[in-house]
Amino acid sequence: MKINQDTVLRGQKVTLVPYTAAHVPRYHEWMQSEELQRLTASEPLSLEQEHEMQRSWRDDADKCTFIVLDSGRWPGQAEENSMVGDVNLFLTNPEDPTVGEIEIMIAEPSCRGRGFGKEATLLMMAYGVRKLGITKFEAKIGQENEASICMFKKLHFKEVAVSSIFQEVTLRLDVSEQERQWLLEQTNHVEEQSYTDLKQPAGVLDT
């Protein structure tokens, strides 16, 4: 989705930046992990396939993707050394463009359990509500991923279905006016900035 290609959302713990070709090698490294393949129901891809996927996510109108960076490291360190995961919003219901399926992955084990996933999800949800007109969120999570299921329930999602075939739980949140106000309050610290303005010059070394 091209709407967010110059958007940076800076929170307290995490910063969301557009997924670019420069992020693909690190992302590809993450996805060699059998644990992450299982948790994300993903098949391993070649590096070239991963680049093709990145271009698809950038260009397709029904996908909005951000890379999650550690706000304590970036700006300052190189982006690829600050990456901790990604967050995605899929507009997959052609009959209702106000439905967004949200996915969050904190790939770096050292960054799990520190609130990074929660803040990244809140930032993406607020962006979806404000910029994309989303009024209903869904999350499909593997039954074994109890930490993720628990996190979404803390964000007011309700369990609406369980698939024994796919071994996944579907959670849903209808964004009422009350939920919208709560979401905007939770993210009122967020700064929206230009990615072009923040990007470090090529060749800048880590400090």
Side-chain angles (χ1 to χ4, degrees), residues 38-116:
R38 189 177 71 253
L39 290 174
T40 59
S42 302
E43 295 292 329
L45 301 177
S46 69
L47 183 58
E48 182 50 41
Q49 288 172 320
E50 210 74 78
H51 274 286
E52 290 174 11
M53 188 73 76
Q54 180 269 327
R55 288 190 288 269
S56 162
W57 285 352
R58 180 193 63 200
D59 296 338
D60 289 359
D62 62 354
K63 302 182 183 75
C64 184
T65 298
F66 285 99
I67 290 292
V68 182
L69 305 181
D70 181 344
S71 289
R73 298 186 199 170
W74 189 88
Q77 297 190 29
E79 281 180 47
E80 51 269 35
N81 294 336
S82 308
M83 292 168 60
V84 300
D86 73 331
V87 61
N88 308 299
L89 199 55
F90 300 104
L91 312 181
T92 53
N93 187 337
E95 296 176 3
D96 189 351
T98 68
V99 176
E101 182 181 334
I102 192 164
E103 291 182 349
I104 175 71
M105 176 180 75
I106 300 300
E108 289 293 332
S110 64
C111 295
R112 295 177 192 160
R114 294 168 57 188
F116 285 34

Side-chain angles (χ1 to χ4, degrees), residues 118 121-122 125-126 137 151-157 173 175-188:
K118 179 182 178 182
T121 302
L122 283 167
M125 288 170 63
F137 289 99
M151 184 200 77
F152 275 99
K153 287 182 175 179
K154 287 180 180 176
L155 299 181
H156 303 177
F157 280 68
L173 173 66
V175 185
S176 63
E177 184 56 33
Q178 184 177 357
E179 290 289 358
R180 179 187 172 90
Q181 289 304 317
W182 176 82
L183 184 58
L184 296 180
E185 285 169 11
Q186 295 297 307
T187 55
N188 62 10

